[in-house]
Amino acid sequence: MNDKRVTFVSKIGIVAAAAGSAVGLGNIWRFPSQTADGGGALFILVYLGCILFFGIPLMVSEFMIGRAARANTAGAFHKLAPGTPWKWVGRLGVLTGFVILGFYMVVCGWTLDYFFQSLSGSLHRVTDFSENFNNLLYSPLRQIGWMILFTLLTAFFILSGVKKGIEQSSKIMMPLLFLLLIILAVRSVLLEGSAQGLNFLFKPDLAQVKPTLFLDAMGQAFFSLSIGMGCMITYGSYFNNNTHFLKTAVHVSLLDTLVAILAGVIIFPSAFALTTNPGTVVDELVAGGPGLLFITLPGLFNQMPASMVWATLFFCLLSLAALTSTISLMEVVTVYIHEEYRISRRKSTLLVTAAVVMLGTISSISAPFFQLLDIASAKIMLPIGGLFISLFVGWYLDKGMVYAELTNEGTLQFSTGFLKTYIFLLRYVAPVAMLAIFIYGLAG
Ligand code: PHE
């Protein structure tokens, strides 16, 4: 079984594939709306702390579990801790992936819809962008159609094979998307009246603290880095024996965070600059919630020459970024069914596709259901998964094995102090902090 598993070959391919999973709608759609909701700069500060103290160590841990076991998320726990209840952590992860797909695919559908609106030129003629977005929200059939199309597209890549599908698409699209985001960020900052937006983004306002701030930021960090559900376990299972876990995790997290911040620098300055009611812009941002990206950005494009070209390019690249994330999510669920229930890869893919379409249909029709899936996955399931993954590597796994994995059997040099700090973080700091944030957040 082990020999048959494909491994990612090139180093850049490894980072690109993991980054392809991490960078997606979480960065460009969810991060700005969470930041707006969380009061701006303060949210970002807490978010960065979560990436550093929980995100990177947890990503390394997931890589480790995956490569050590060379199995799917649930199978990995089964293999490393046979006959123990740890397998439930893997199963929870698979379920989380499914729940995320259930609302994420709907947003992927919006992205496709906007891509075609840009391509056909109809977006260019719109004068009221909130109304334009609401029209989409109130057309279930249109949403469901795009959502199904996106799910089928994802399934196609899953079926076309791990290496070809995931690695290649990530390598081409990531640099392009990055370049475009930089151009848009510059354009947005140069708008007259953008300074207030930058202030909102970078100047913390302590009056904005709410009890759920920490949980919201932690949930967003997990969601954005694709950790806490074993997605990176599945990816780790494809890594080769020389993959440098720590470096890969740091690179992926840096890239992911940069893209999120760039998205913020695009959205907020333009939201402040282009509003017709400066007094209520923060309220509008918060109320804009899930629509923020789809309402503010078209306004920015209209400020640019050849707006249609920019809009088309942007929504095309955003769809691709979302696709590399949905591929990783669907891969987790599909491989689980394929390997644990011994159903062929093709049949597992079809099964998962049908189930995701069902969940996605309900989310398209019901906004509360959409929100429920979003909150349940990001604020409850991922943090619980993260907590147990950190306990698993910190307490359950043999320390010698953890060191051997981290150093690639001693070929990489880390100081003993560093290794000890890593274990200490996983054993005590991360679990206690995550638990405290979780309980405090849910109570608040
Ligand atoms: N990280 C992805 C994004 O930011 C979403 C995702 C979450 C993907 C969990 C895989 C696992 O869009």
Side-chain angles (χ1 to χ4, degrees):
M1 179 74 127
N2 281 1
D3 303 333
K4 274 202 298 197
R5 290 183 74 85
V6 219
T7 56
F8 288 123
V9 188
S10 66
K11 238 190 221 155
I12 181 81
I14 291 169
V15 180
S21 165
V23 175
L25 296 171
N27 309 58
I28 296 168
W29 159 74
R30 201 173 187 277
F31 178 79
S33 62
Q34 290 286 312
T35 303
D37 196 37
L42 205 58
F43 177 86
I44 296 185
L45 271 181
V46 178
Y47 175 79
L48 293 178
C50 290
I51 297 273
L52 197 66
F53 289 109
F54 311 141
I56 296 176
L58 271 179
M59 195 183 288
V60 169
S61 307
E62 290 200 17
F63 287 160
M64 182 182 297
I65 296 171
R67 191 179 66 181
R70 293 240 179 264
N72 71 78
T73 305
F77 286 96
H78 200 58
K79 224 163 168 176
L80 297 178
T84 65
W86 283 107
K87 60 175 174 289
W88 285 98
V89 180
R91 289 180 181 163
L92 172 73
V94 174
L95 185 67
T96 310
F98 181 57
V99 169
I100 294 179
L101 281 168
F103 76 94
Y104 199 89
M105 279 297 182
V106 177
V107 187
C108 293
W110 299 346
T111 312
L112 269 192
D113 184 287
Y114 269 69
F115 170 59
F116 282 96
Q117 281 190 51
S118 320
L119 194 66
S120 70
S122 70
L123 189 64
H124 187 56
R125 290 189 291 274
V126 169
T127 46
D128 184 338
F129 293 112
S130 328
E131 189 192 295
N132 184 53
F133 181 66
N134 279 330
N135 283 343
L136 173 62
L137 283 192
Y138 292 112
S139 337
L141 280 184
R142 201 168 126 200
Q143 286 189 77
I144 292 169
W146 291 120
M147 179 272 299
I148 292 182
L149 188 64
F150 209 99
T151 312
L152 291 178
L153 210 64
T154 308
F156 169 78
F157 273 89
I158 296 282
L159 280 178
S160 77
V162 177
K163 244 192 332 196
K164 232 180 23 206
I166 306 177
E167 203 178 337
Q168 304 253 341
S169 47
S170 315
K171 260 200 275 195
I172 307 167
M173 149 257 128
M174 297 280 299
L176 256 182
L177 176 68
F178 206 66
L179 195 71
L180 184 68
L181 289 176
I182 291 180
I183 295 174
L184 292 178
V186 171
R187 182 66 197 99
S188 176
V189 169
L190 290 179
L191 288 174
E192 202 175 323
S194 66
Q196 256 185 310
L198 287 175
N199 265 347
F200 180 74
L201 204 53
F202 294 119
K203 225 165 114 198
D205 176 3
L206 285 177
Q208 299 286 347
V209 188
K210 30 184 214 174
T212 57
L213 172 72
F214 288 91
L215 182 59
D216 294 347
M218 183 166 81
Q220 174 59 25
F222 283 21
F223 188 89
S224 191
L225 290 180
S226 308
I227 53 173
M229 56 155 280
C231 190
M232 294 299 178
I233 294 182
T234 303
Y235 274 59
S237 78
Y238 301 126
F239 284 1
N240 62 40
N241 291 336
N242 301 322
T243 307
H244 195 314
F245 289 159
L246 184 65
K247 253 196 205 156
T248 308
V250 168
H251 288 166
V252 171
S253 306
L254 268 178
L255 211 75
D256 188 75
T257 307
L258 219 57
V259 171
I261 302 279
L262 268 177
V265 175
I266 295 171
I267 303 262
F268 292 101
S270 26
F272 278 85
L274 302 175
T275 181
T276 42
N277 307 312
T280 58
V281 61
V282 174
D283 299 334
E284 269 175 30
L285 284 176
V286 175
L292 193 54
L293 174 74
F294 299 92
I295 297 168
T296 304
L297 257 195
L300 175 66
F301 293 132
N302 270 6
Q303 300 290 314
M304 300 170 71
S307 64
M308 267 175 60
V309 178
W310 293 111
T312 309
L313 194 62
F314 175 79
F315 285 112
C316 172
L317 289 174
L318 186 60
S319 304
L320 288 173
L323 184 64
T324 49
S325 300
T326 53
I327 289 173
S328 72
L329 284 160
M330 207 156 166
E331 175 78 10
V332 170
V333 188
T334 307
V335 174
Y336 167 73
I337 292 179
H338 169 52
E339 290 187 356
E340 295 299 300
Y341 295 96
R342 305 195 185 284
I343 296 176
S344 77
R345 212 179 144 89
R346 174 175 286 270
K347 269 206 195 119
S348 319
T349 311
L350 291 180
L351 243 136
V352 176
T353 304
V356 168
V357 163
M358 261 168 49
L359 217 54
T361 302
I362 309 177
S363 308
S364 303
I365 300 169
S366 155
F369 186 74
F370 176 105
Q371 261 166 7
L372 178 74
L373 296 190
D374 178 317
I375 291 173
S377 58
K379 295 181 192 173
I380 298 174
M381 299 171 89
L382 290 179
I384 292 180
L387 177 66
F388 280 108
I389 288 169
S390 111
L391 291 175
F392 184 70
V393 175
W395 291 96
Y396 183 85
L397 284 187
D398 172 53
K399 243 195 266 165
M401 180 194 138
V402 171
Y403 288 168
E405 278 290 333
L406 206 61
T407 59
N408 292 346
E409 304 290 344
T411 47
L412 300 172
Q413 296 296 328
F414 290 110
S415 67
T416 343
F418 173 83
L419 294 172
K420 285 211 169 114
T421 312
Y422 171 71
I423 293 283
F424 184 75
L425 204 68
L426 286 180
R427 278 198 159 182
Y428 304 100
V429 184
V432 170
M434 284 194 276
L435 199 66
I437 289 177
F438 188 65
I439 293 171
Y440 183 62
L442 283 193

